[in-house]
Amino acid sequence: LCKLHLGKKLTIILALSVLFTLTCFTVFLLHSKDTSLVFPSLPQQVVKGSRSVFGKMMDHIWVTKTPDVSRKTAATSAQPAPPLDPCPDSPPSLVGPVLVEFQTNRSLQWVRNQLGSVLQQGGRYKPPDCTARQKVAVIIPFRNRYEHLTHWLYYVHPVLMRQQLDYGVYVINQDGDGAFNRAKLMNIGFVEALIEYDYDCFVFSDVDLVPIDDRNLYRCSDHPRHLSVAIDKFNYILSSVTAFGGVSLLTEEQFLKVNGFSNTFWGWSGEDDDLYNRIIVRGMSITRPDAGIAKYKMIKHGRDLHNEVNPENAVKTQKTAQNIETDGLNSLNFTVKEILKDVLFTLISVDVQAP
């Protein structure tokens, strides 16, 4: 009987202990139901390759750190913001002609200070009060044009903002000092930009051309579009009815249809003529804005080293129809050496296997 009585006592004590534990746990849950559990974020590691390519220009890279994010319960989580209305077809903040001046000592850091507060990392921007009509990747083939890039960023970012574009700026830098291949760099920019975002319009822009009228919209259309119609270097007269260089726009579908640029145009000239031929071969035509607003100012410069005129390029433009199926995006080979995110742009340095 004593043993039986002792066993009952132990059972009662054990039951009370379990009840006490459950009660404490319930009180804890009630007390902490609105408390966020925050785990310390891991520090972000920035991996960089050789910086010799871009030199002192990249001394002040702005790196966005991932903020701590508290997990919210279903009862306290914020409701999603309602979708924004589409941006108007005619942007309301355009100013028309823009004064452009290159004879200044503006620095890249000064441009960051002027524009960085309204841009997202990597040279990205979205209009804050409406949904952009197009997602635009601006691709700049590049090597050793640091001063030109500074001017371009200072003038063109505000133009693109006023045009209410959802856009990103990609500077595709050719690593090394081999023969320059502008066309291949633009193919690479197309591929790399699509890895980051679902762009539907692609602007292929030389770094030395700055628009001087913001009514010249950086938007794709139903046909491949040539924007740099009237350049001061050519007295604001279109150089040729087949001209398609300088600043050109194609949708993703259009660029895929022509298989991109040829990858074999080493040195200066020819690749734009070949792209024009590709457009015609694929049964498309080009459009241009009115020359009265499609005006550009070109930054004066000498011929770049390792970008000399290549006489073989003129011969290749006669063989577009033969090469379009096998030479282009489907035969593109390159190696990404480094990707750096500045608040003004994304820099992608690449090895293009230059001869």
Side-chain angles (χ1 to χ4, degrees), residues 167-336:
Y167 73 89
V169 174
Y170 295 84
V171 179
I172 314 301
N173 178 66
Q174 181 171 326
D175 189 38
D177 57 1
F180 194 63
N181 193 324
R182 174 178 174 271
K184 194 170 185 179
L185 292 175
M186 291 191 284
N187 279 346
I188 294 169
F190 174 83
V191 171
E192 291 295 313
L194 278 177
I195 291 174
E196 288 199 346
Y197 195 54
D198 58 336
Y199 294 106
D200 47 38
C201 178
F202 296 83
V203 177
F204 302 98
S205 175
D206 288 343
V207 73
D208 59 358
L209 285 177
V210 172
I212 58 177
D213 194 314
D214 64 4
R215 294 172 295 176
N216 187 16
L217 299 181
Y218 279 57
R219 284 191 203 158
C220 288
S221 68
D222 293 337
H223 302 276
R225 192 158 175 81
H226 181 224
L227 288 193
S228 52
V229 176
I231 303 174
D232 63 341
K233 179 180 179 180
F234 305 114
N235 296 316
Y236 298 108
I237 298 174
L238 183 66
S239 60
S240 167
V241 294
T242 62
F244 199 63
V247 184
S248 305
L249 286 71
L250 294 93
T251 66
E252 179 183 4
E253 180 182 0
Q254 292 162 359
F255 201 62
L256 291 173
K257 189 172 183 178
V258 299
N259 198 19
F261 284 86
S262 165
N263 297 309
T264 62
F265 281 78
W266 300 97
W268 188 82
S269 86
E271 70 277 357
D272 293 318
D273 296 324
D274 183 76
L275 182 62
Y276 177 86
N277 293 341
R278 287 171 178 244
I279 291 168
I280 301 305
V281 167
R282 287 294 189 242
M284 296 184 287
S285 60
I286 69 170
T287 63
R288 295 187 177 96
D290 186 88
I293 63 170
K295 293 184 175 181
Y296 283 79
K297 195 168 183 178
M298 179 180 284
I299 305 171
K300 294 180 180 179
H301 56 86
R303 175 72 60 216
D304 296 321
L305 187 64
H306 305 297
N307 192 27
E308 295 81 8
V309 175
N310 185 346
E312 295 181 4
N313 289 350
V315 178
K316 292 175 185 175
T317 61
Q318 307 303 315
K319 300 179 180 180
T320 302
Q322 302 172 33
N323 299 329
I324 188 172
E325 295 288 351
T326 57
D327 176 19
L329 291 172
N330 62 359
S331 62
L332 180 62
N333 287 308
F334 65 97
T335 302
V336 174

Side-chain angles (χ1 to χ4, degrees), residues 24 78 147 151 260 282 299 345:
C24 291
E147 181 181 352
H151 293 312
R282 287 294 189 242
I299 305 171
F345 55 89

